[in-house]
């Protein structure tokens, strides 16, 4: 008998064979409304804000030529995809209790969420390495980090993330292997979940190490600026920009760790200990923190990046000029006069 098939007469969820209904842990209408509200609010704001970030980057000829903003664009794209796939699948499953027609459909959705999150972390790692090279080797930065190399790195990044996240769909799942299934994700093999968690932990540790080096270099620059007051203002301005951007990236990383630590801790805990329904319910609510992280990132960029903030102000200025031009057009004046005569 296939242990991964859903049986109508199943009344109890066993450790290795949990029907899809057993993963629907929201028991009350209030819990479902809370999850739906959080997902829709965070998801909508995330999509709007990250779309604005992409628009500001690619609408500015100066900004879009810089490799560092290509990495930020990759992060914004990953957050948008994660919001769309996560909200649609998560709400349908936990709120409307919709079961996919096949396990392949579910694993495809799960692979999309995993791809987006892994690509988001990898983009942060590339951004941290970019900042480290910019601060540690400023004279060689333009020759080392080019647009072509940045596009190649992003291509390799996304292809790797898609491949790793597609492994359960391609056969590494507990149905085909007849192995222990995860208690948090249907059809997911415990060994695959452990490997994915290890990958995420390696990415997080690498990001922390890279940011630590960036902060150390930034501290050295600040000390150097304090001693060399006679040097040119342009060099000082570049150092201040590097230091400010390094601080911005540290804030992004801190938010990332706070939002994703509860989820990762519960994932690791589920591998060794049988989870109760209450803990799995807590995991469901903690999963919405990923949307909060994706929603906060663009706000940090707007507040900390002077270039993006300037681009945002210019975009608003263009919009206001177009609005005034539309209001002052002959058609608008004739319409205004007609309405005044009718009145």
């Amino acid at each position: 008998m296939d242990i991964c098939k859903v049986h109508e007469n199943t009344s109890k969820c066993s450790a290795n064979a949990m029907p899809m209904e057993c993963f629907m842990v929201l028991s009350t209408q209030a819990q479902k409304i809370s999850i739906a509200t959080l997902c829709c609010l965070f998801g909508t704001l995330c999509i709007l804000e990250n779309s604005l970030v992409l628009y500001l980057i690619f609408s500015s000829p100066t900004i879009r030529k810089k490799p560092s903003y290509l990495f930020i664009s990759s992060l914004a794209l990953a957050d948008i995809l994660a919001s769309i796939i996560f909200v649609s699948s998560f709400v349908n499953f936990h709120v409307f209790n919709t079961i996919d027609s096949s396990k392949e459909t579910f694993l495809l959705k799960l692979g999309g969420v995993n791809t987006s999150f892994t690509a988001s972390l990898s983009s942060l790692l590339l951004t941290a390495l970019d900042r480290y090279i910019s601060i540690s080797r400023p004279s060689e930065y333009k020759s080392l980090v080019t647009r072509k190399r940045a596009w190649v790195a992003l291509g390799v990044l996304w292809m790797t993330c898609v491949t790793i996240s597609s492994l359960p769909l391609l056969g590494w799942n507990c149905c085909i292997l007849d192995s222990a299934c995860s208690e948090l994700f249907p059809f997911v093999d415990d060994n695959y979940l452990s490997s994915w968690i290890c990958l995420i932990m390696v990415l997080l540790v690498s990001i922390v190490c890279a940011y630590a080096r960036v902060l150390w270099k930034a501290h050295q620059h600040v000390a150097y600026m304090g001693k060399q007051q006679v040097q040119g203002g342009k060099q000082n301005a570049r150092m201040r920009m590097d230091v400010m951007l390094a601080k911005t990236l540290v804030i992004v990383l801190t938010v990332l760790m706070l939002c994703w630590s509860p989820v990762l801790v519960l994932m690791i805990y589920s591998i060794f200990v049988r989870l109760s329904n209450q803990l799995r319910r807590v995991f469901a609510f903690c999963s919405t923190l990923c949307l909060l992280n994706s929603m906060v990132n663009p706000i940090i960029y707007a507040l900390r990046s002077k270039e993006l903030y300037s681009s945002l102000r210019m975009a608003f200025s263009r919009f206001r000029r177009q609005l005034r031009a539309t209001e002052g057009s002959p058609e608008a004046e004739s319409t205004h006069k007609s309405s005044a005569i009718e009145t």
Side-chain angles (χ1 to χ4, degrees), residues 49-316:
E49 292 171 359
N50 283 286
S51 299
L52 178 61
V53 170
L54 290 176
Y55 170 76
L56 294 177
I57 291 176
F58 288 99
S59 64
S60 173
T62 304
I63 294 179
R64 69 168 176 257
K65 291 181 180 179
K66 297 183 177 182
S68 58
Y69 285 101
L70 291 179
F71 302 143
I72 293 178
S73 300
S74 175
L75 176 62
L77 178 61
D79 288 337
I80 291 175
L81 293 178
S83 300
I84 296 174
I85 302 173
F86 180 86
V87 170
S88 59
S89 59
F90 197 80
V91 172
N92 282 333
F93 186 81
H94 285 288
V95 177
F96 298 106
N97 300 134
T98 302
I99 298 178
D100 295 315
S101 57
S102 63
K103 81 173 186 297
E104 287 77 14
T105 303
F106 178 84
L107 292 176
L108 180 63
K109 294 179 181 179
L110 182 62
V113 176
N114 289 345
T115 298
S116 304
F117 174 48
T118 310
S120 178
L121 276 179
S122 302
S123 299
L124 279 176
L125 178 58
L126 288 180
T127 306
L129 295 176
D130 171 77
R131 286 297 89 202
Y132 174 71
I133 297 174
S134 175
I135 290 181
S136 62
R137 306 173 71 176
S139 60
E140 306 174 22
Y141 174 77
K142 290 186 178 180
S143 61
L144 292 175
V145 184
T146 62
R147 280 177 55 85
K148 182 179 180 179
R149 291 179 178 178
W151 280 112
V152 170
L154 290 177
V156 173
L157 180 155
W158 280 93
M159 288 299 297
T160 304
C161 294
V162 170
T163 302
I164 294 175
S165 301
S166 301
L167 290 178
L169 182 62
L170 297 176
W172 192 355
N173 57 73
C174 58
C175 295
I176 294 179
L177 300 178
D178 194 19
S179 56
C181 297
S182 170
E183 294 185 355
L184 295 176
F185 306 101
F187 314 120
V188 174
D189 179 70
D190 264 343
N191 292 327
Y192 172 80
L193 182 60
S194 302
S195 302
W196 187 79
I197 292 174
C198 290
L199 172 63
I200 297 304
M201 297 302 294
V202 168
L203 287 176
L204 288 174
V205 172
S206 300
I207 293 173
V208 171
C209 293
Y211 282 144
R213 295 291 298 174
V214 168
L215 283 181
W216 175 247
K217 288 293 182 180
H219 174 72
Q220 290 181 333
H221 276 301
V222 171
Y224 178 78
M225 289 165 54
K227 296 179 180 179
Q228 302 292 332
Q229 296 293 338
V230 295
Q231 62 181 345
K234 185 176 181 180
Q235 183 73 10
N236 278 335
R238 180 183 178 88
M239 289 183 179
R240 284 193 297 269
M241 182 185 68
D242 289 340
V243 172
M244 186 174 183
L245 190 50
K247 293 179 180 179
T248 299
L249 297 178
V250 170
I251 295 176
V252 172
L253 178 61
T254 303
V255 173
L256 180 74
M257 295 291 291
L258 291 177
C259 290
W260 282 96
S261 291
V263 174
L264 292 176
V265 168
L266 287 175
M267 284 183 185
I268 297 173
Y269 186 73
S270 69
I271 297 175
F272 303 100
V273 180
R274 179 88 182 269
L275 295 181
S276 62
N277 287 335
Q278 183 177 0
L279 278 179
R280 291 195 289 146
R281 193 174 298 117
V282 171
F283 177 80
F285 276 92
C286 290
S287 299
T288 60
L289 291 176
C290 66
L291 293 177
L292 177 63
N293 169 243
S294 300
M295 184 193 71
V296 170
N297 282 341
I299 300 177
I300 298 175
Y301 301 149
L303 293 177
R304 303 289 300 181
S305 175
K306 289 186 177 180
E307 291 177 312
L308 280 181
Y309 184 73
S310 299
S311 180
L312 179 62
R313 293 183 59 182
M314 291 176 61
F316 273 117

